[in-house]
Amino acid sequence: MMKSKMDFKKYKGPDRRGHFGSFGGKYVAETLMPALFELEAAYDKIRRDRDFKKEFDYYAKNYVGRPTPLYHAARLSEKLGLKVYLKREDLCHTGAHKVNNTLGQILLARRMGKKRIIAETGAGQHGVATATMCALFGLDCEVYMGKEDIARQSLNVFRMKLLGAKVIPVTSGSATLKDALNEALRDWITNIRSTYYCIGTVAGPHPYPLLVRDFQKVIGEEARRQILKAEGRLPDEVVACVGGGSNAMGIFYPFIKDEKVELVGVEAAGSGVRTGKHAATLVAGKVGVLHGQKSYLLQDEEGQVMETHSISAGLDYPGVGPEHAYLHEQGRARYVPVTDAEAMAGFDLLTRYEGILPALESSHAVAYLSKAKKGRLLVVNLSGRGDKDMGTIAKVKKVSL
Amino acid sequence: MKNRIEKKFAELKKAGKKAMVAFVTAGDPNLKFTPQVVWGLEEAGVDVVELGMPFSDPMADGPVIQKSSERALKAGTKLPGIFKAVETIRKKSQVPILLMGYFNPILQYGISDYFRDAKGAGVDGTLLVDLPPEEGEETRQAARKAGVSLIYLLAPTSDRKRIDLVRKKGSGFIYYVSLTGVTGAAIHAQPEVKGQIQKVVKGSRLPVCVGFGIKTPEQARAVAKLADGVVVGSALVDCFASGKPQVGLEKAKKLAASIAKAVHSI
């Protein structure tokens, strides 16, 4: 493992202005600045509020189904010569970890008195999770989604509509997640006073990377307790896929202080990093500013944002959360590429050996296991289930449904 | 030494006149044509020209400027080309020019290099939509060193603290966004607009220009009365949507002339 440049024993995350080292911050149009300060103040208040914590825990337990199991994947372990535990976020209500964040944010939006919720979505999981919470609490919900993504994730589009959300197709730019984010920001700039923007990952302007991580860190807190109970020791590695990076940040964060635990983020290498058709931001990107934050970014020489490619819509994003950029720079976490083909092999492996159909995003994390050092104890964040991907997978396997 | 923006506003103030600021995207439809656009706008009576630096992800812009940016990027518009166009403009014109855009292309070019080369080409100011004063210290110092004004935005959502911050950190002028929205949105006869503009104007050491949503001479005249100038963007950019450069320029010149006349008649 790379030597950490700083002592992470007292690591807390961003400073008061939302900087993780030189990353993060608030790079937004002036219209949004007051709204971010408002959100910051509101979040600061609920962070120390016991009633909020109680409310969050109540719904996390009774509605989302937490704690999720930490499952010892015995057959898979034997096959790979490892000891693998899966953190079963795929068993969360709505089928992925995304709901942890939307639960927290929608409870926060309610406290702020906001009645209209907007969100962006790529694979549609965050859109579904937001629409679900809005249905639960009777709030208006509008979800921006790239036209391309609407086509490849039609099932999730239908789910959102059934839940009462309005799905707004985005045709600008490459018509994918980054453009949906642009459009959501434009909406927020226009309707700033009435609207809460529920961002789906640990990216965007401060305080989003902080609060999304905090709502997701329940994954790592549980996993840490569970592995200590099951094995009497901490794992050698904690593994998660990274697009924007929310499931990874959620499981990494409670392990950051345990400097012996290696943190491995798996990025989408698409057709291969060398082909240029990928979404491996930390592996192949450069420092840049997009969507309100300074972080790593896939961009050309002129600083124009590049179009990305991944078989998994949820990882198909040219940026990454600023806390990951910081952990990468400091050598506290290691980021590795996994191609579309490797992810598909990971999908098949878990499906056949454990009877679990992982989401294509999570399949990237599973695929890494074939590259891990033998004999190690690993915790893998199985961030979502694969039902939503059946269409894509059938297409890859040349099966018509 | 004062740059052209500062000189122009001092001159206008002395004459008791308001400024007409025009925005067009650099490189739309191509960079070769951009000098002609700027010369044409100056001829039409425009006091300050803002040239948009196209960006792949213009988060604060409406559809008109988004499409214009796409056209410019497709035509191969890059920063060195924009500097060259400004150099060409300077052979015939001393109209104050500022470049407006997003932060990432400047970050990649190198912040100090950008201001040095911009100044060298004849650029007087820069406005970076997604760089608020809080994140802009390095940029502010580089701009100051080069003698380039760094213009900040204020919005209806900005409170007293932010108004003071922008007054302190900004230079050249303050760009007041007259409504919460993206560029090109319709300006409403919001009764609170007047009061908000006055809040920003009163006691400001910097001139205040109001933009976003101004499309007609009547709107421009009404808004200019309250401030030191108006900015017209999307309405002019829209003239170039047809892709026929000469036709677009004639349309833009006509619109700019009518608005400049209205603004200057106050």
Side-chain angles (χ1 to χ4, degrees):
Chain A
M1 177 186 169
M2 258 204 280
K3 266 268 174 293
S4 299
K5 286 176 203 158
M6 74 164 260
D7 182 5
F8 274 92
K9 290 218 171 59
K10 289 182 189 129
Y11 181 73
K12 271 213 199 99
D15 65 16
R16 286 184 49 119
R17 289 170 59 204
H19 292 119
F20 302 86
S22 64
F23 302 111
K26 282 193 189 95
Y27 294 83
V28 295
E30 174 62 27
T31 314
L32 293 182
M33 288 298 281
L36 293 173
F37 285 119
E38 183 195 355
L39 180 61
E40 231 178 308
Y43 181 60
D44 226 38
K45 226 165 120 189
I46 62 117
R47 253 184 128 178
R48 284 165 289 160
D49 181 347
R50 282 196 181 175
D51 287 342
F52 184 87
K53 175 108 182 47
K54 243 195 217 160
E55 202 180 3
F56 182 88
D57 290 347
Y58 171 82
Y59 286 103
K61 182 176 175 222
N62 299 297
Y63 188 74
V64 174
R66 306 211 68 89
T68 57
L70 184 75
Y71 164 71
H72 177 214
R75 283 196 75 216
L76 181 75
S77 295
E78 200 192 338
K79 159 89 178 151
L80 296 172
L82 302 163
K83 192 155 202 187
V84 178
Y85 280 81
L86 302 174
K87 182 60 178 162
R88 298 291 307 273
E89 291 302 297
D90 60 318
L91 294 178
C92 286
H93 177 46
T94 74
H97 73 288
K98 290 286 183 191
V99 72
N100 303 323
N101 169 44
T102 58
L103 167 61
Q105 286 203 58
I106 298 305
L107 291 178
L108 176 58
R110 287 180 84 210
R111 300 240 170 161
M112 292 171 77
K114 306 276 183 182
K115 301 256 186 297
R116 179 175 178 265
I117 309 295
I118 58 168
E120 85 294 334
T121 198
Q125 286 303 109
H126 173 59
V128 167
T130 307
T132 299
M133 284 300 154
C134 288
L136 177 62
F137 292 112
L139 299 167
D140 287 338
C141 179
E142 293 180 31
V143 180
Y144 288 91
M145 190 166 183
K147 217 179 128 198
E148 285 290 318
D149 291 334
I150 286 180
R152 50 179 175 176
Q153 302 286 340
S154 55
L155 207 56
N156 270 344
V157 175
F158 187 52
R159 285 168 85 193
M160 283 184 266
K161 286 181 181 166
L162 290 175
L163 289 160
K166 195 170 148 198
V167 179
I168 306 168
V170 177
T171 54
S172 58
S174 56
T176 57
L177 177 56
K178 84 175 172 78
D179 309 286
L181 230 151
N182 290 336
E183 216 48 52
L185 282 168
R186 287 178 190 124
D187 181 314
W188 202 30
I189 290 174
T190 308
N191 303 299
I192 193 94
R193 292 186 179 95
S194 66
T195 299
Y196 182 91
Y197 179 21
C198 182
I199 215 164
T201 189
V202 287
H206 179 66
Y208 283 108
L210 168 71
L211 67 86
V212 176
R213 180 203 71 196
D214 285 355
F215 292 138
Q216 291 291 4
K217 73 180 178 190
V218 61
I219 305 172
E221 285 167 352
E222 287 173 8
R224 197 175 180 284
R225 267 200 310 272
Q226 289 165 321
I227 192 76
L228 282 173
K229 199 171 168 209
E231 290 289 327
R233 72 165 181 110
L234 291 169
D236 298 311
E237 299 180 34
V238 173
V239 184
C241 64
V242 179
S246 71
N247 90 78
M249 230 30 258
I251 197 161
F252 284 180
Y253 184 68
F255 288 97
I256 288 179
K257 292 175 188 174
D258 306 313
E259 290 186 278
K260 281 193 179 147
V261 177
E262 204 174 328
L263 307 175
V264 181
V266 183
E267 292 195 315
S271 310
V273 171
R274 281 195 195 147
T275 65
K277 289 184 76 183
H278 63 85
T281 308
L282 289 165
V283 170
K286 279 186 305 179
V287 175
V289 168
L290 181 72
H291 294 149
Q293 56 164 11
K294 186 188 269 188
S295 183
Y296 278 69
L297 186 61
L298 290 169
Q299 54 185 320
D300 68 13
E301 299 269 303
E302 275 75 41
Q304 308 293 349
V305 181
M306 291 196 326
E307 290 188 14
T308 52
H309 168 81
S310 169
I311 191 172
S312 129
L315 302 182
D316 204 352
Y317 179 63
V320 65
E323 196 163 14
H324 284 295
Y326 181 68
L327 296 177
H328 172 61
E329 183 194 67
Q330 295 293 325
R332 178 63 192 93
R334 188 160 64 87
Y335 296 86
V336 298
V338 156
T339 64
D340 287 351
E342 289 169 327
M344 274 309 301
F347 173 88
D348 286 334
L349 190 69
L350 195 65
T351 303
R352 292 296 178 85
Y353 278 82
E354 296 292 345
I356 297 170
L357 275 71
L360 283 174
E361 290 77 13
S362 324
S363 299
H364 284 72
V366 174
Y368 164 79
L369 296 175
S370 305
K371 306 178 179 186
K373 267 190 232 151
K374 302 289 168 216
R376 300 194 116 191
L377 175 63
L378 284 88
V379 171
V380 179
N381 197 9
L382 199 67
S383 55
R385 64 172 172 242
D387 306 38
K388 70 178 173 52
D389 296 315
M390 287 306 113
T392 309
I393 289 161
K395 218 165 148 190
V396 171
K397 295 187 182 292
K398 300 196 166 68
V399 174
S400 66
L401 297 176
Chain B
M1 214 182 70
K2 281 183 176 168
N3 63 37
R4 294 177 195 87
I5 293 175
E6 292 160 331
K7 272 190 210 148
K8 176 57 94 177
F9 278 104
E11 239 176 74
L12 288 168
K13 193 175 176 189
K14 218 171 150 195
K17 289 205 156 172
K18 310 288 186 176
M20 154 71 173
V21 182
F23 173 96
V24 286
T25 306
D28 176 21
N30 61 68
L31 267 178
K32 239 179 158 175
F33 194 66
T34 295
Q36 289 183 53
V37 174
V38 175
W39 294 327
L41 290 173
E42 188 185 19
E43 217 182 278
V46 165
D47 298 298
V48 177
V49 174
E50 286 185 15
L51 284 177
M53 301 178 274
F55 182 49
S56 54
D57 292 75
M59 281 106 55
D61 284 299
V64 170
I65 293 179
Q66 282 174 46
K67 289 206 179 93
S68 167
S69 299
E70 279 172 24
R71 288 194 296 269
L73 286 174
K74 238 183 218 157
T77 305
K78 295 171 185 177
L79 269 177
I82 296 176
F83 294 151
K84 247 196 200 136
V86 175
E87 273 173 31
T88 308
I89 293 164
R90 285 287 171 245
K91 286 180 189 159
K92 286 201 210 165
S93 163
Q94 293 306 311
V95 69
I97 293 175
L98 65 106
L99 301 185
M100 178 167 174
Y102 292 80
F103 183 46
N104 195 51
I106 278 75
L107 186 65
Q108 302 312 317
Y109 192 91
I111 294 172
S112 299
D113 294 353
Y114 165 83
F115 283 103
R116 182 198 61 214
D117 294 351
K119 182 71 180 181
V123 171
D124 307 292
T126 292
L127 195 167
L128 299 169
V129 181
D130 57 349
L131 190 74
E134 279 86 347
E135 305 288 352
E137 201 47 37
E138 189 187 347
T139 306
R140 190 172 74 97
Q141 299 207 6
R144 196 156 84 174
K145 209 177 133 205
V148 173
S149 297
L150 190 61
I151 291 106
Y152 282 118
L153 297 167
L154 281 171
T157 47
S158 310
D159 59 10
R160 171 54 50 197
K161 229 169 107 186
R162 298 204 60 74
I163 294 172
D164 289 342
L165 181 68
V166 162
R167 280 180 180 172
K168 204 172 121 200
K169 301 282 185 186
S171 49
F173 65 93
I174 291 170
Y175 188 145
Y176 181 75
V177 176
S178 56
L179 51 117
T180 59
V182 293
T183 53
I187 189 164
H188 304 290
Q190 292 162 322
E192 75 263 27
V193 168
K194 197 172 160 182
Q196 283 163 344
I197 294 175
Q198 279 163 344
K199 201 168 83 182
V200 175
V201 170
K202 208 179 152 204
S204 175
R205 76 180 166 87
L206 293 169
V208 178
C209 294
V210 181
F212 276 40
I214 298 169
K215 290 182 168 68
T216 66
E218 294 72 34
Q219 287 169 335
R221 201 180 138 83
V223 172
K225 274 186 185 164
L226 304 169
D228 301 295
V230 297
V231 186
V232 181
S234 296
L236 289 171
V237 171
D238 208 18
C239 297
F240 295 93
S242 71
K244 290 185 191 123
Q246 271 308 337
V247 179
L249 179 54
E250 287 315 311
K251 258 169 95 180
K253 271 170 76 174
K254 218 169 137 192
L255 178 65
S258 67
I259 292 176
K261 197 175 153 205
V263 169
H264 291 149
S265 69
I266 295 165

